[in-house]
Amino acid sequence: MAFAPMGAKASFFEVLDRHRASLLAALSRGGQEPPVQRTRTASSSEVLASIENIIQDIVTSLARNEAPAFIIDNRSSWENIKFEDTVGLQMVSHCTTRKIKSDSPKSVQKFALILKILSMIYKLVQSNTYATKRDIYYTDSQLFGNQTVVDNIIDDISCMLKVPRRSLHILSTSKGLIAGDLRYTEEDGTRVNCTCGASAIAVPSNIQGIQNLITDAKFLLIVEKDATFQRLLDDSFCDKMSPCIMVTGKGIPDLNTRLLVKKLWDLFHIPVFTLVDADPHGIEIMCIYKYGSMSMSFEAHNLTVPAVRWLGLLPSDIKRLNIPKDSLIPLTRRDQMKLDSILKRPYVTCQPFWRKEMEMMADSRMKAEIQALTTLSSDYLSRVYLPNKLKFGGWI
Amino acid sequence: MERTALAVCEILRYLIIHWRCETETSNGALLEGQLVISIEALNSKHQPNALHCVTTIASVRSICGGLVLKKFLKEIQSILRGFSAKLICTSEENSCFPGTSGVTPFQITFEINEKPRGLMIDCLVIKQFLHKIIIVHHKIRFTLSVKVNGFLSTEIFGMENEPTLNLSNGITIVVNCQHYVSRLKFSTAESHCSRIHPVLGHPVTLLIPEDVAGMDLLGNLIMTPAAALCPSPKVFSSQLSRISSVSIFLYGPSGLPLILSNEDQLSTTVFKDTFYFIDWKKYHLCVVPNLDLNLDKDLVLPDVSYQVESSERGQSQIMHLQGQTLLLFLFVDFHSGFPVQQMEIWGVHTLLTAHLSAILTESHTVIQDSIHFTLDQILEERDQAAKAHQKLQASLSVAVSSIMSVVTGSTSGSFRKTCLQALQAADTQEFGTKLHKIFCDITQHRFLHHCSSNMKQLIPEKNNSAQSTEDAHESGSPELLAEISRQAQRKRPKSDSFCHGQEETLAFMTSHRAEPHDASLTPREEEARTVHDRAPAPERASSGSGLEDALWLQEVSNLSEWLSPGSGS
C-alpha cells in the first residue's frame, strides 16, 4: 500500500516526471498546423473601431432603405466544428452563418438586443471599466428576459468581432477554486499564495492580467466537484502530495477556470489530470477541459488543454477495487443518451482507452460517484487511491 | 319599401335560388353569369308628379332552364302582396317553357308608377342588394341601368377578379377591405393590409317559435357566424388597436341577403337591442346604434351598424374614422338529410323574411354564444397583433437608442460625419429622428408583406408566381413603397360623358382593383366608370318639368349622395 509522507519523496514522482517528459517531447516535435485563432486580444481602440464599423454598416443599409442584419456564425452547430487532437474542438474557417434581421418579426428583438449590448460594450471599453455578464443582465432584466439570452449574445459578439470576451471588458464570474503550490501577482499588484491551508483561493476574474506565476508543482489535479475538492483539502492532500496544484470548477467550469488551467499548462507544461465521477456528466466535464465546448469552440486555442489525462474514477476501477454494488447507481435514460452522444464525438476516436471505459460503463449500465470510495475507507481517496494512481501511472 | 325595389329584389332572389338548384351547384362551386336590370322612367301621363317606370330583369345567358313560369309568377305574387303590376315573362322566342334547352335569354318586365323620390330610393335599395349579393356570389355580374326621361345612368356590379376566401361552410366571400369600410380609415401615411381575414364560428341550429306559422321544415336552420376586423389586425399601427364600429350582415340560404331595406331593418326588433348579438360588457365596449349613413357609395351597407362610444366626448367621429370595424357575417342556411328542393329554400327565405325577429329572439342564447366564440378568436388574434406591434416598437426603440448611444458617444469625427451624411442629417437630433423613421418604414413594409400576398401582385417586373415573398421584398425600394401606397388607395370611379344622343345601355367593365386571390399576376383592369349621359335627350319633357329633371340629373349623377339620415321612407 503506497503511502506518501507529508511532501512526497522525489521517487514518488518518477512516473509523473517521465510522463511530463513525454508531453514536452510531443510538444517539441510539433509539425502540426498551428491552431486556427479565431480570436485575438484586441486593444480598446480596435474594439471601438470594430463596433463603429458595425454601426456604420447598419446606418448605410438604412440609408439605402435596406433592412440591416447581423451575420452570426453558427457557433453551436456540429457542421461548423472540427476536431484536432492538438487543440480539441474548434470552429472551421468557413462556417455556416445565420442572419439576424431587423425586419423579421422573429428576429427583430434579438437584433435590437445585440445592438443594445454592443452599445454597452462600447461604453465599457471607452470608459475602461469592466462588468460581468450578470451585471449586463441586471441593467435591464425585463428587456433581456433571462441571463442565457445575454450570455449567448455576448458570445456571439465575441465571435463576430473575433476578440476574446475580456477584450470586450466583460468578465465572467469566477466560481472555481485553486489550492496548492502556486504563487502569482494579480493585475492590481496583489500577491496571492495558494499554498494549501484550511481554505482555497478563488480563481481570479482577470486571468489575462495575472503575472509572476511561480510553481514547482509536479502535477495539476482538476477536481470535478467542490465536495471532493473540500474533502481533499481537509485531508491535506496538497501537503501530502506536495508539490502539486488542485483546481475545481465546481461542476461545469466557468471561463476563468478554464483560462487558468490553460495558462498553467502553457507556462509550466505540468501534467494535468482530472478526478471526476464515473458517470457521463463527469466525463463530459473532463472533455470540456481537454477538448473544449461546442459553444466556445471559436476560442478553443485559448481554452483547451489536450494534454489532460483521465486519472479517476475510472469505470474499470469500480470493478478492480470491488466497490460494493449498493454504492453504485443505475444509469438514467438521460445518462445513457449523454453517454451515447459522447461516444459519437470526434475526439473519442483518438482515445481508445476512454472509449473502452465508456463502453464498460454502458455495458454495466451503472455509474459511481467518487464518494463511492468511502465505502472502502473514509480517507481511501486521498490516502490510497490517488497516491497509487499518481505513483504508478494509473491514468489514461 | 317602395314597390319597384321589392319586386326586383324578390325576383332576383327567386331566380338565383332557382338557378342554384337547377345547376345542382354543390358547396364551393359558384354561380357564374350575368343579369341586367333596367328601369326606364318617363313622366306619367296619367298621374301628376309621378314617373311611369318599366322595369326589366334579363339574363344575358339563360338561367331559367326548368323554370315553371306559372309557379314562378304565383310565388312572386304571393310575396309581393299588394303588388298590382303585371309581370310579363318573355324570352327571345317569346316563350319560356320547361324543357327548353336553356340557351335562350330570359326577360321579365313589369310597369308601375312611382314618385321620383320613391324611384330614387328604389335604385339605392336595389344597388345595395346587388352589392350584397356579389360579396358572396362574386362571379355573378349585374348591370343596373336607370333611365329617367332620357337621362341614362348605368352601373355594373361585378367582383370576378376580387380576392376571395372560401369559408369552410361553403360560402365564398370577397375579402377586399374597401367594400366594407370607408377609405378614410386608411391613412395615406401608413401602409395597410387591404384584405379582411374572416374567422368562421361554429354553426348553431336556430329555434323556430311554435307560434310562427309557416311551412313544416324537414330540416334545420343553421346559422354560421364569420367575423373579421377591418382593417386587418395584422397591420402594425397603434391607431388600429381599438374597435370603433360594428357592421353586421345577414345572409339567408343560397347566400342571399335577408334584409332588403331600412324598413325591414327597423321592423326587426332585435336589431334595436344593441346587446342582442354581442354582450358588449364582456369586451368592455359601449356601443350605440350608428345613425351615420353618409357612407362611400362603394361600401356594402351593413344590415345592422353600431358605433363604439369613446370615453371622451366629441371624439366619437374621430374614433369612427380611426380604429377598426368589427365585421360580423351571419349566414343562415337550411340543412336536411335530403337534397334540398328549390321550394324549400324559397319557403325558408319567406319564413325568415316574415319572422326573422321572432326566430332570432327564440335563438338568442345559441346565437350569442356562437358569436362570442368567434369574436374571442378574432380579438385574441388582435391582441397578439397588438403585442407583436408593441414588441416591434420596443425593439425599434432599443435599436435606435443603441445606435444613437454609439454615434453620440464616439470621439471619431469621421465616423460621426459618415453616419450623419448617410441619413442627410444636420445634427444628431435630426439623425435620431430620421433613424427612427427609416426603421419604422422598413419594418412596416416588411411586416405588411408577411400579412398578405398583395405585395406580389404589385411588383410589375415579377411575373413568376413561384417567387417567394422574401425575394419580392428584398427587391423593395422607395419607389416600390410609393407605388404600393398609391395602389393601396381606392380610386373613385370616374364619370365620362358620352356622345350626345346615345341612349343605349352601355355596359362598362366595373373593375374594382384587380387582386386575384391566387399568387399569379394579372394585368390591372381599367377602373370602374359610371357612365352619365348628360346630353339632353330629344324626347325630353316639357319645360314645366325642366326643374325636376335638372334635380333628378343631379341626384342620378351620384347615387351615394342620396344616403342621408331620414331617407328610409
Side-chain angles (χ1 to χ4, degrees):
Chain A
M1 184 180 292
F3 175 75
M6 295 291 283
K9 288 180 182 172
S11 60
F12 184 87
F13 297 112
E14 278 178 10
V15 176
L16 273 168
D17 288 340
R18 281 203 298 273
H19 175 56
R20 184 168 184 256
S22 71
L23 291 174
L24 289 171
L27 279 173
S28 64
R29 273 197 298 275
Q32 287 101 352
E33 283 181 22
V36 175
Q37 291 209 353
R38 291 185 70 89
T39 62
R40 56 171 191 84
T41 304
S43 66
S44 295
S45 58
E46 285 173 330
V47 173
L48 293 177
S50 294
I51 295 175
E52 284 171 1
N53 284 339
I54 290 174
I55 299 297
Q56 194 171 304
D57 287 344
I58 289 172
V59 173
T60 306
S61 283
L62 291 170
R64 288 197 300 259
N65 229 17
E66 292 169 5
F70 289 113
I71 310 291
I72 306 282
D73 291 339
N74 288 325
R75 291 182 292 112
S76 299
S77 172
W78 277 109
E79 63 179 338
N80 289 334
I81 292 173
K82 67 175 181 181
F83 170 71
E84 295 235 357
D85 57 1
T86 55
V87 179
L89 296 174
Q90 55 177 342
M91 283 187 79
V92 299
S93 319
H94 303 287
C95 57
T96 61
T97 58
R98 67 186 187 281
K99 248 184 178 180
I100 309 293
K101 296 181 184 178
S102 60
D103 60 346
S104 165
K106 292 178 185 173
S107 63
V108 63
Q109 192 179 28
K110 181 149 189 196
F111 179 88
L113 291 182
I114 293 174
L115 270 177
K116 171 78 176 174
I117 293 179
L118 271 174
S119 70
M120 294 174 76
I121 290 170
Y122 191 86
K123 285 276 183 251
L124 287 171
V125 173
Q126 220 180 23
S127 59
N128 199 25
T129 52
Y130 291 82
T132 63
K133 290 188 293 183
R134 201 72 179 156
D135 294 333
I136 302 274
Y137 167 69
Y138 277 114
T139 57
D140 198 336
S141 57
Q142 214 167 8
L143 173 69
F144 293 118
N146 59 70
Q147 183 68 54
T148 309
V149 168
V150 173
D151 294 353
N152 284 335
I153 290 177
I154 289 171
D155 288 341
D156 283 336
I157 291 174
S158 176
C159 190
M160 186 167 58
L161 299 181
K162 296 182 173 32
V163 297
R165 196 191 300 168
R166 176 80 192 173
S167 298
L168 303 177
H169 283 225
I170 295 179
L171 307 172
S172 74
T173 307
S174 298
K175 61 177 175 145
L177 297 173
I178 185 165
D181 188 348
L182 178 66
R183 286 168 288 160
Y184 57 86
T185 307
E186 289 191 358
E187 195 177 31
D188 61 359
T190 306
R191 292 184 187 177
V192 179
N193 189 342
C194 303
T195 306
C196 271
S199 57
I201 303 294
V203 170
S205 58
N206 181 10
I207 301 299
Q208 205 174 341
I210 60 175
Q211 295 169 357
N212 303 325
L213 285 88
I214 301 170
T215 184
D216 292 320
K218 291 289 188 182
F219 63 92
L220 166 62
L221 182 66
I222 299 172
V223 182
E224 176 196 347
K225 297 189 302 197
D226 184 42
T228 312
F229 186 87
Q230 296 297 333
R231 180 65 207 225
L232 291 173
L233 272 184
D234 292 342
D235 290 348
S236 301
F237 178 81
C238 288
D239 294 333
K240 291 171 189 170
M241 290 290 109
S242 176
C244 69
I245 302 172
M246 270 198 325
V247 168
T248 181
K250 296 184 183 176
I252 295 177
D254 59 274
L255 202 64
N256 287 333
T257 304
R258 294 175 64 188
L259 283 169
L260 178 64
V261 169
K262 173 69 175 176
K263 195 173 183 90
L264 291 173
W265 163 255
D266 284 346
L267 283 176
F268 303 113
H269 300 304
I270 52 174
V272 181
F273 302 111
T274 55
L275 179 63
V276 298
D277 290 341
D279 62 19
H281 185 61
I283 295 171
E284 181 152 56
I285 287 173
M286 177 174 61
C287 290
I288 290 173
Y289 283 105
K290 184 178 174 78
Y291 293 122
S293 61
M294 193 194 291
S295 62
M296 293 300 292
S297 58
F298 66 96
E299 271 216 76
H301 63 283
N302 279 337
L303 298 171
T304 60
V305 182
V308 162
R309 297 293 186 265
W310 190 0
L311 187 67
L313 179 66
L314 302 177
S316 57
D317 289 340
I318 297 171
K319 192 175 177 183
R320 183 171 60 82
L321 298 173
N322 278 322
I323 291 174
K325 284 190 179 153
D326 55 4
S327 61
L328 304 181
I329 306 164
L331 289 177
T332 64
R333 178 86 182 125
R334 201 169 170 180
D335 287 334
Q336 284 173 352
M337 286 169 64
K338 189 184 281 290
L339 192 57
D340 290 340
S341 160
I342 297 172
L343 280 166
K344 286 175 190 165
R345 289 185 195 166
Y347 42 69
V348 173
T349 313
C350 61
Q351 293 289 339
F353 294 113
W354 286 29
R355 170 175 280 276
K356 196 176 169 186
E357 294 287 336
M358 284 190 268
E359 285 169 352
M360 200 180 293
M361 185 189 299
D363 290 341
S364 69
R365 294 184 190 162
M366 302 297 277
K367 61 183 179 182
E369 293 181 338
I370 294 170
Q371 279 67 27
L373 295 173
T374 57
T375 58
L376 301 174
S377 75
S378 61
D379 58 351
Y380 192 86
L381 175 67
S382 59
R383 188 172 59 85
V384 179
Y385 180 79
L386 286 176
N388 273 339
K389 281 270 184 169
L390 289 165
K391 182 171 178 166
F392 298 110
W395 55 78
I396 57 173
Chain B
M1 188 176 65
E2 301 298 338
R3 297 171 297 166
T4 301
L6 177 62
V8 168
C9 294
E10 292 297 349
I11 291 169
L12 287 175
R13 260 191 193 160
Y14 192 97
L15 290 176
I16 290 174
I17 291 172
H18 166 80
W19 185 7
R20 196 177 174 110
C21 292
E22 282 299 309
T23 54
E24 295 178 347
T25 307
S26 57
N27 275 350
L30 297 165
L31 296 179
E32 200 168 339
Q34 200 168 351
L35 284 155
V36 177
I37 303 113
S38 62
I39 303 174
E40 185 167 355
L42 294 168
N43 288 326
S44 173
K45 293 172 183 170
H46 305 292
Q47 287 184 22
N49 300 320
L51 293 166
H52 180 74
C53 305
V54 178
T55 303
T56 305
I57 298 169
S59 69
V60 172
R61 192 181 70 190
S62 174
I63 59 171
C64 77
L67 183 70
V68 179
L69 182 61
K70 281 184 182 173
K71 199 172 183 184
F72 161 68
L73 291 172
K74 182 184 171 189
E75 294 287 340
I76 290 294
Q77 295 283 14
S78 72
I79 284 286
L80 302 175
R81 293 189 195 90
F83 190 72
S84 57
K86 185 180 177 186
L87 296 170
I88 301 167
C89 182
T90 58
S91 69
E92 195 174 71
E93 293 183 353
N94 207 31
S95 66
C96 181
F97 299 105
T100 306
S101 64
V103 297
T104 54
F106 164 78
Q107 186 170 293
I108 182 165
T109 306
F110 59 89
E111 301 180 25
I112 58 172
N113 289 329
E114 292 261 30
K115 295 286 185 190
R117 183 162 178 80
L119 179 61
M120 195 165 72
I121 296 169
D122 276 343
C123 292
L124 287 175
V125 169
I126 294 169
K127 184 187 159 192
Q128 272 301 318
F129 186 72
L130 298 180
H131 206 165
K132 282 182 191 172
I133 291 177
I134 60 173
I135 288 293
V136 172
H137 295 282
H138 70 284
K139 290 198 172 182
I140 301 179
R141 179 178 293 183
F142 295 98
T143 303
L144 175 63
S145 292
V146 179
K147 188 176 176 185
V148 178
N149 290 325
F151 293 97
L152 178 65
S153 169
T154 300
E155 196 165 347
I156 294 176
F157 298 83
M159 296 200 191
E160 300 97 323
N161 296 318
E162 292 271 351
T164 58
L165 181 70
N166 291 328
L167 301 175
S168 56
N169 63 346
I171 296 282
T172 298
I173 188 170
V174 170
V175 292
N176 189 337
C177 268
Q178 293 177 354
H179 294 294
Y180 302 104
V181 296
S182 164
R183 66 175 178 280
L184 291 171
K185 275 189 183 287
F186 301 97
S187 164
T188 54
E190 290 183 19
S191 297
H192 59 272
C193 177
S194 64
R195 297 185 184 192
I196 60 171
H197 302 268
V199 170
L200 202 63
H202 60 264
V204 294
T205 304
L206 298 182
L207 305 170
I208 302 174
E210 287 179 5
D211 58 345
V212 167
M215 55 184 283
D216 294 322
L217 293 174
L218 294 177
N220 292 319
L221 287 177
I222 307 291
M223 174 182 274
T224 310
L229 286 170
C230 183
S232 167
K234 293 179 184 177
V235 177
F236 290 90
S237 166
S238 57
Q239 287 186 336
L240 302 178
S241 59
R242 56 179 180 271
I243 296 174
S244 60
S245 57
V246 182
S247 295
I248 302 176
F249 304 87
L250 284 100
Y251 283 86
S254 301
L256 292 169
L258 272 179
I259 306 291
L260 295 184
S261 69
N262 275 352
E263 271 183 22
D264 290 348
Q265 195 184 81
L266 293 169
S267 67
T268 310
T269 52
V270 294
F271 295 165
K272 296 175 187 171
D273 177 6
T274 54
F275 280 82
Y276 171 79
F277 290 104
I278 299 170
D279 181 3
W280 298 107
K281 286 179 194 167
K282 185 183 171 198
Y283 302 99
H284 309 293
L285 292 173
C286 177
V287 303
V288 295
N290 183 12
L291 301 176
D292 178 12
L293 299 176
N294 185 20
L295 302 172
D296 189 282
K297 70 172 183 179
D298 292 323
L299 293 184
V300 179
L301 289 184
D303 298 313
V304 186
S305 181
Y306 302 125
Q307 196 166 318
V308 177
E309 279 206 316
S310 166
S311 55
E312 296 176 24
R313 288 189 181 279
Q315 291 293 316
S316 59
Q317 184 59 28
I318 297 170
M319 265 201 65
H320 179 62
L321 293 178
Q322 297 172 351
Q324 292 168 309
T325 298
L326 171 65
L327 302 174
L328 185 60
F329 299 90
L330 302 175
F331 299 105
V332 180
D333 208 348
F334 178 70
H335 291 274
S336 75
F338 305 97
V340 179
Q341 302 298 318
Q342 177 192 336
M343 293 323 301
E344 281 181 298
I345 300 178
W346 181 250
V348 166
H349 251 294
T350 310
L351 178 75
L352 287 170
T353 305
H355 303 289
L356 183 62
S357 201
I359 293 170
L360 292 180
T361 303
E362 190 77 11
S363 313
H364 177 229
T365 306
V366 293
I367 290 175
Q368 199 179 67
D369 286 346
S370 181
I371 291 173
H372 282 174
F373 175 80
T374 315
L375 207 53
D376 288 345
Q377 293 181 71
I378 288 284
L379 293 179
E380 188 186 332
E381 190 182 301
R382 186 187 67 141
D383 289 344
Q384 283 173 359
K387 281 178 189 165
H389 172 70
Q390 283 174 357
K391 199 172 158 183
L392 169 67
Q393 290 301 310
S395 297
L396 292 185
S397 179
V398 167
V400 168
S401 65
S402 301
I403 293 172
M404 287 299 295
S405 169
V406 174
V407 172
T408 55
S410 171
T411 56
S412 167
S414 61
F415 164 67
R416 289 163 58 92
K417 187 179 173 187
T418 305
C419 289
L420 263 64
Q421 276 180 351
L423 296 191
Q424 297 175 344
D427 51 38
T428 50
Q429 191 174 359
E430 191 182 348
F431 176 78
T433 308
K434 287 190 172 183
L435 190 67
H436 190 267
K437 185 177 182 309
I438 291 177
F439 253 127
C440 285
D441 288 346
I442 286 175
T443 48
Q444 289 274 9
H445 179 202
R446 176 61 172 160
F447 291 163
L448 180 61
H449 203 258
H450 274 294
C451 166
S452 71
S453 61
N454 285 352
M455 305 296 277
K456 286 189 221 177
Q457 302 153 23
L458 297 173
I459 301 168
E461 294 80 19
K462 294 191 188 293
N463 290 316
N464 182 0
S465 63
Q467 256 189 343
S468 68
T469 54
E470 292 272 337
D471 292 340
H473 169 69
E474 284 168 4
S475 64
S477 65
E479 292 76 22
L480 178 59
L481 192 63
E483 169 70 12
I484 290 163
S485 296
R486 277 198 300 278
Q487 293 183 4
Q489 295 183 34
R490 182 80 174 83
K491 291 188 176 64
R492 293 191 67 86
K494 295 179 186 174
S495 60
D496 275 351
S497 58
F498 273 78
C499 294
H500 173 77
Q502 283 192 350
E503 296 172 7
E504 299 90 336
T505 300
L506 294 169
F508 282 83
M509 294 294 290
T510 296
S511 169
H512 300 265
R513 185 168 60 87
E515 288 184 0
H517 51 86
D518 56 15
S520 59
L521 292 169
T522 59
R524 287 170 55 198
E525 297 183 11
E526 292 181 10
E527 292 299 326
R529 291 167 188 264
T530 303
V531 178
H532 307 288
D533 185 348
R534 297 181 181 271
E539 60 271 24
R540 191 171 178 177
S542 62
S543 57
S545 62
L547 179 61
E548 189 170 326
D549 288 342
L551 288 172
W552 172 258
L553 177 65
Q554 185 179 355
E555 285 165 337
V556 162
S557 67
N558 192 338
L559 297 177
S560 68
E561 292 172 7
W562 296 354
L563 293 171
S564 58
S567 62
S569 60

